[in-house]
Amino acid sequence: MKEYPHWQTVPLRWKDNDVYGHVNNVVHYSLMDTVINTWLIEQGGLDIEAGEVIGLCVESHCGYHSSVSFPGSMRVGLRVAHLGKSSVRYEIGMYAADESLVAEGHFVHVFVDRESRRPTPVSGKLREALEALQPG
């Protein structure tokens, strides 16, 4: 498994399976979004309801390597590949319980002022949390 500074185990749900008997591709995107935002809220102090700064997803991608299905869980690894002035590119690895690679993706946030929707610098506790996700 690749180097990820943060890991989160996410249980799969019955509704995650599609008619072909495996986790549907939209679930992988939801898992990426969930793991990223859990980190930002818990470690970076991001206030998604009333904070002055919010993160907007401007790009996402997921490449699939193998399938997984309910019941079970996935281990999701998270790292920051690039941290700019107002943007961040995350890389995410999703692994089955047997540690086989299920999918890899990336997700780009631009942090903006909630009202103006103009880019704003990533600073303070949020920046520290994102720096902690940079490998090595």
Side-chain angles (χ1 to χ4, degrees):
M1 295 199 304
K2 291 186 177 179
E3 181 182 335
Y4 295 97
H6 175 68
W7 288 92
Q8 184 174 336
T9 300
V10 182
L12 298 173
R13 304 160 305 171
W14 171 252
K15 72 177 192 170
D16 294 338
N17 283 1
D18 62 18
V19 298
Y20 302 113
H22 59 72
V23 170
N24 190 274
N25 60 334
V26 299
V27 174
H28 295 83
Y29 281 94
S30 179
L31 291 176
M32 289 192 291
D33 201 17
T34 297
V35 170
I36 290 166
N37 282 292
T38 299
W39 177 266
L40 294 175
I41 292 164
E42 292 179 355
Q43 302 301 317
L46 185 67
D47 182 348
I48 60 172
E49 295 175 2
E52 293 179 14
V53 174
I54 59 173
L56 299 180
C57 177
V58 298
E59 180 182 328
S60 62
H61 169 79
C62 191
Y64 305 97
H65 299 277
S66 64
S67 65
V68 66
S69 60
F70 174 88
S73 61
M74 277 206 281
R75 296 234 331 123
V76 181
L78 177 64
R79 67 178 168 223
V80 166
H82 176 76
L83 179 57
K85 182 178 177 183
S86 62
S87 67
V88 60
R89 177 187 162 113
Y90 310 93
E91 293 179 342
I92 302 97
M94 292 169 260
Y95 294 82
D98 66 1
E99 298 187 359
S100 62
L101 179 62
V102 174
E104 292 178 292
H106 72 260
F107 196 98
V108 178
H109 264 152
V110 173
F111 290 92
V112 300
D113 177 85
R114 180 184 294 275
E115 297 302 317
S116 71
R117 295 296 204 257
R118 301 297 307 153
T120 189
V122 179
S123 61
K125 186 176 180 181
L126 182 57
R127 185 165 204 86
E128 290 173 12
L130 292 169
E131 289 172 344
L133 289 176
Q134 294 177 310

